[in-house]
Amino acid sequence: MSELFEVSEVHNYGGFFGGDTVTLDVMAIADHNDWRPLVIDAKALENIPERHNLLAGMVLTLEFSGERVDRAVLIAARDYDELRAALGLAQLPTTSDKPIKLSGCCTQCQRWLPAQHLHAQGCVVCTPA
């Protein structure tokens, strides 16, 4: 089962002795009393190609095995440029006769999200289905 968490603070990229991790503090979106420090392996960052683009204020869906994060998916960011930098270059179709919406800003929570996480009432962060 996955849960939404907002990154409160990023402590470091790479861990104490280097490596492919990011150490951060997160707070559950559903329960602001659920705060925890985490170390996430870069390979668990599903849609963030470069771990150093993970910043405070971003919202992640996290899947756990005990205390270990098996999967982390970026869902939202406070700033458009931060979202686009974290997601990297989008894989676009080679031909299209229609405009392609990659992301948008939720009118309720003012976060930027990839288009698939927006819906008519807001977004998956402020108004989960």
Side-chain angles (χ1 to χ4, degrees), residues 11-23 39-40 51:
H11 297 288
N12 66 50
Y13 304 99
F16 187 70
F17 294 107
D20 292 331
T21 62
V22 58
T23 304
V39 176
I40 302 175
R51 70 185 186 280

Side-chain angles (χ1 to χ4, degrees), residues 20-88:
D20 292 331
T21 62
V22 58
T23 304
L24 44 85
D25 293 335
V26 296
M27 177 179 55
I29 295 290
D31 178 5
H32 289 202
N33 293 319
D34 184 2
W35 171 91
R36 56 181 95 171
L38 293 175
V39 176
I40 302 175
D41 291 326
K43 64 184 176 198
L45 299 172
E46 186 170 292
N47 62 345
I48 305 173
E50 299 292 331
R51 70 185 186 280
H52 66 271
N53 287 326
L54 186 58
L55 302 170
M58 292 183 168
V59 176
L60 304 171
T61 296
L62 300 177
E63 291 180 11
F64 295 92
S65 287
E67 293 296 315
R68 182 173 166 249
V69 176
D70 284 336
R71 183 173 175 253
V73 178
L74 176 62
I75 299 296
R78 296 267 178 211
D79 181 78
Y80 172 78
D81 292 330
E82 290 174 356
L83 178 70
R84 295 308 330 154
L87 294 176

